Amino acid sequence: MAGVEFGPKDAAVIADLLVKTGIELVEVGMVSGPGAKDADLVLATHEAVGPERSMTLVVVRDRQQVARALDEAERLGVRHIMYSIPTSEQHAQLKLGSPSAKFLHTLARSAISQAKERGFHVTFSGEDGARTPKERLVPYVAAGFEAGADRFRLAETVAYLSPWRMEEVIGNLTAIDGSEIEIHSHNMLGMAVANSLAAVRAGARWISATVGGIGERGGNAPLAELLTSLRVIHGDTRFDLTHLTELSRVALHGAGLGDAFQSGPTTPHAFAYELPGQLTHPEAYETLPAELVGNARGLRVRTRLTTALVKWALADSGVLVDLDAFTSWLTERQERDGSPLLDADAIRKAAVDFQAV
């Protein structure tokens, strides 16, 4: 979630409580190449629960980038990886530079093969998979399993499917020979838990959830609601629910969200982003625009400042600065001041301060 950055101590406590609850894999950190910013979180989680109970997201953009990212994952002792691969034409064009299904298959096969050769357990994703047509999604998933992948994650990157449509989409994937399917839903429409349960009904074996529902675009499937639903509706008693309240308290405090996180489209953070592409191409991340519900798109960032983010924040502000020099100056100030939350207005005010330096 934009503007939310946990420290290693929080990561270790949360991971330990998740494992005590009965969660099989704790997803921690993101790696795209050398010097991963989340290295301390990954190492702290490994120390708390072990690398076999941890999974780290690895970004996929091209073969050389994947090789560098896997080098970093190996350095950190990661054993389970989750490849983030954009599958819809819109996201593939935006992030891979090509909407070609053939190129997508080639890239995924290469990434999966590289990881399996190194001994990783590999989950590969369908980023924006919920909006990817069946005739494009199913062959992609089949190709990934043929390349040796262990699991596929359908990412409902933007809340899009109804529970009955989710059953149909997941059913198409579980019909693939040798498939093992995971669902990852966002909660902008308030149906992340319902869609997760629908996916299980259709044969999915894994559900991705977050403590308190914390996440981008209205939040993710909230863990407590998900586990209590499994208990009440399915009689699933595998999980120790006594840790859930403490988990929520620790996660909300560490995220700087106070006592509660509200999901859905009307909160200040519902349309807040910290990646430049999300701000410049919002149509790729929003089923409905912020303005439709009287909300506004914005920026929330702490340490992940980039020149592109600063450029977006200063657009039409009338404040003129050297973007590279200002970004470097502001990054240093953030580190010195404890990384307070920044929005566009705060960045504009900082640019005025920079002009006076």
Side-chain angles (χ1 to χ4, degrees):
M1 176 179 163
V4 171
E5 298 181 17
F6 292 103
K9 184 177 179 180
D10 283 329
V13 171
I14 292 169
D16 181 61
L17 287 170
L18 285 169
V19 168
K20 287 178 178 176
T21 300
I23 303 305
E24 294 192 42
L25 277 175
V26 178
E27 186 170 341
V28 55
M30 178 173 68
V31 173
S32 58
K37 292 193 70 172
D38 293 337
D40 56 347
L41 302 182
V42 174
L43 294 174
T45 301
H46 287 181
E47 181 69 22
V49 301
E52 293 304 322
R53 299 296 293 268
S54 308
M55 178 170 68
T56 294
L57 185 151
V58 174
V59 175
V60 173
R61 293 296 179 264
D62 60 59
R63 183 179 177 86
Q64 291 72 29
Q65 174 268 318
V66 167
R68 293 191 296 270
L70 291 178
D71 287 343
E72 178 71 351
E74 284 188 324
R75 184 183 74 83
L76 296 174
V78 173
R79 301 312 313 140
H80 294 258
I81 65 169
M82 201 292 294
Y83 272 139
S84 178
I85 308 175
T87 54
S88 68
E89 287 192 14
Q90 187 176 21
H91 274 242
Q93 177 65 57
L94 179 62
K95 298 175 181 179
L96 303 179
S98 170
S100 164
K102 182 178 180 181
F103 176 73
L104 177 66
H105 288 207
T106 300
L107 179 60
R109 284 179 179 274
S110 172
I112 292 166
S113 297
Q114 287 186 67
K116 293 305 295 182
E117 288 171 1
R118 298 185 189 219
F120 288 101
H121 181 282
V122 179
T123 296
F124 71 112
S125 76
E127 189 180 345
D128 202 27
R131 293 193 298 182
T132 304
K134 173 183 175 181
E135 58 272 16
R136 180 180 174 93
L137 181 64
V138 172
Y140 162 75
V141 176
F145 282 113
E146 289 170 3
D150 300 285
R151 185 181 310 140
F152 172 74
R153 170 187 286 184
L154 179 74
E156 195 182 13
T157 302
V158 297
Y160 181 71
L161 297 176
S162 63
W164 46 96
R165 279 284 293 125
M166 179 63 78
E167 278 198 58
E168 181 182 342
V169 172
I170 294 294
N172 292 332
L173 303 180
T174 56
I176 298 170
D177 286 342
S179 65
E180 181 175 299
I181 306 300
E182 174 184 335
I183 180 61
H184 173 94
S185 283
H186 284 259
N187 208 31
M188 188 70 88
L189 304 181
M191 293 193 290
V193 170
N195 279 350
S196 297
L197 295 178
V200 170
R201 181 181 172 95
R205 293 176 55 189
W206 296 81
I207 301 172
S208 172
T210 65
V211 178
I214 299 169
E216 294 180 311
R217 294 179 295 284
N220 292 92
L223 180 69
E225 289 90 322
L226 180 64
L227 295 188
T228 52
S229 293
L230 288 171
R231 174 74 66 97
V232 172
I233 296 171
H234 292 287
D236 189 337
T237 59
R238 289 176 297 166
F239 302 97
D240 181 355
L241 307 185
T242 62
H243 301 289
L244 291 177
T245 298
E246 176 69 3
L247 259 171
S248 294
R249 186 193 67 78
V250 172
L252 290 165
H253 180 268
L257 294 170
D259 297 323
F261 171 74
Q262 181 184 345
S263 63
T266 61
T267 64
H269 45 254
F271 295 94
Y273 303 110
E274 66 178 359
L275 298 178
Q278 295 172 327
L279 291 161
T280 55
H281 298 278
E283 69 283 352
Y285 295 91
E286 299 169 7
T287 314
L288 302 172
E291 297 78 11
L292 188 68
V293 294
N295 209 334
R297 195 171 297 111
L299 180 153
R300 284 168 56 97
V301 65
R302 294 184 188 272
T303 67
R304 303 180 189 279
L305 277 167
T306 63
T307 302
L309 281 179
V310 169
K311 181 179 180 180
W312 186 90
L314 297 182
D316 302 320
S317 69
V319 181
L320 300 177
V321 295
D322 181 299
L323 292 176
D324 291 330
F326 171 59
T327 301
S328 178
W329 176 85
L330 183 55
T331 298
E332 291 177 3
R333 194 176 82 168
Q334 282 292 100
E335 293 175 354
R336 185 192 69 216
D337 295 347
S339 303
L341 188 66
L342 295 174
D343 58 14
D345 288 339
I347 291 177
R348 291 177 179 184
K349 183 179 183 300
V352 173
D353 295 341
F354 176 73
Q355 288 178 325
V357 173

